[in-house]
Amino acid sequence: MAVATKIPITLKERIEHGEDFRIPASWDEFLDLVEECEYRIEYGNGKIISFMGYASELHEKLVGKILRLLGNLLNENLYEVYPSNLALHIPGFDKKYFNADCAVVKGPTEKVPLKGTMTAVANPVLLVEVLSISTAGYDVFYKSRFYKDIPSLQQILIIDSTEMNVESHTRYNGDGEWLQKIFTKKEDHVRVLDEGTFSLEELYKKVEFGA
């Protein structure tokens, strides 16, 4: 596993490499490393991808809030809400490995084998990304376009952590068409999978931007 000498394993070592760290590696090399690393790594375009292994308090607060809101909104007998460690299967010829900040699955999970006992979930219906300054471009312009290749996916929520702003991308009228809506006011309500809504006031309660 030659790549192991090139990429840091511990969080302490990772911090020394700056915010955006990418290194060429094979799919098998990535899978060997993914369970060893003390921080999150992803894979795309033949590279191991890592952003700074430090999550701001505000980012984590918003992740916790959306997990609670979705858990309260969705019928637990039909849906399961997962935090960010769930591996996602992206169909296609090129190997990719992503984690969303939150993933929702309806019914039993469909798993695709990766290596050994490692699997990726192939049937999320909703994915959520909470943006930070360092990862906003990567999450919005890179990851989300591949999310839309997942056949089961019905909605993507993109939540800003620098201002009150939520984008909802909803699949409609066939596999390849998506409707984008942007919400910026505290009284705005975001519809989730036609199961109900949450307000921006609920989501951003006690959130102080720039604190």
Side-chain angles (χ1 to χ4, degrees):
M1 192 176 67
V3 73
T5 64
K6 301 177 183 177
I7 188 169
I9 299 298
T10 68
L11 180 57
K12 182 179 179 181
E13 293 169 335
R14 169 65 187 87
I15 290 173
E16 299 175 0
H17 291 266
E19 288 187 353
D20 186 346
F21 183 73
R22 307 177 192 221
I23 187 168
S26 71
W27 177 244
D28 287 336
E29 288 171 330
F30 166 76
L31 292 179
D32 286 339
L33 282 167
V34 70
E35 290 189 308
E36 296 181 38
C37 285
E38 294 180 359
Y39 54 94
R40 185 196 297 184
I41 57 175
E42 298 182 321
Y43 189 84
N45 288 342
K47 294 180 180 179
I48 292 172
I49 303 167
S50 166
F51 286 88
M52 189 64 174
Y54 168 78
S56 71
E57 179 181 350
L58 182 52
H59 179 278
E60 294 302 281
K61 179 183 287 189
L62 286 168
V63 171
K65 281 178 171 287
I66 193 62
L67 286 168
R68 287 198 302 274
L69 288 171
L70 294 177
N72 292 333
L73 181 63
L74 299 173
N75 185 335
E76 64 180 2
N77 293 321
L78 297 176
Y79 296 93
E80 196 70 48
V81 181
Y82 295 92
S84 62
N85 287 330
L86 192 71
L88 301 171
H89 172 68
I90 310 295
F93 177 76
D94 293 331
K95 299 293 187 181
K96 294 178 177 64
Y97 180 107
F98 297 137
N99 305 101
D101 286 315
C102 171
V104 175
V105 176
K106 185 177 182 180
T109 56
E110 297 174 8
K111 298 182 178 67
V112 174
L114 295 176
K115 186 174 184 179
T117 60
M118 295 173 60
T119 60
V121 170
N123 63 324
V125 292
L126 170 66
L127 296 175
V128 182
E129 291 288 357
V130 178
L131 304 183
S132 60
I133 293 174
S134 62
T135 64
Y138 174 67
D139 288 340
V140 173
F141 299 112
Y142 184 73
K143 288 172 67 174
S144 63
R145 67 186 175 96
F146 292 114
Y147 288 163
K148 292 177 180 179
D149 291 334
I150 301 173
S152 63
L153 192 65
Q154 299 301 309
Q155 188 173 13
I156 302 170
L157 293 177
I158 299 174
I159 298 171
D160 203 325
S161 66
T162 63
E163 62 179 353
M164 187 176 289
N165 187 298
V166 175
E167 287 186 22
S168 173
H169 298 254
T170 306
R171 189 189 296 270
Y172 80 103
N173 194 27
D175 290 338
E177 298 183 77
W178 292 76
L179 177 65
Q180 178 187 21
K181 291 185 178 181
I182 299 176
F183 305 88
T184 59
K185 300 175 182 178
K186 67 179 182 180
E187 62 268 21
D188 287 347
H189 280 71
V190 181
R191 179 159 292 279
V192 178
L193 298 173
D194 289 328
E195 296 288 346
T197 67
F198 66 86
S199 71
L200 267 63
E201 184 174 22
E202 293 175 287
L203 177 63
Y204 286 100
K205 186 177 182 179
K206 295 184 179 180
V207 169
E208 296 181 18
F209 298 110

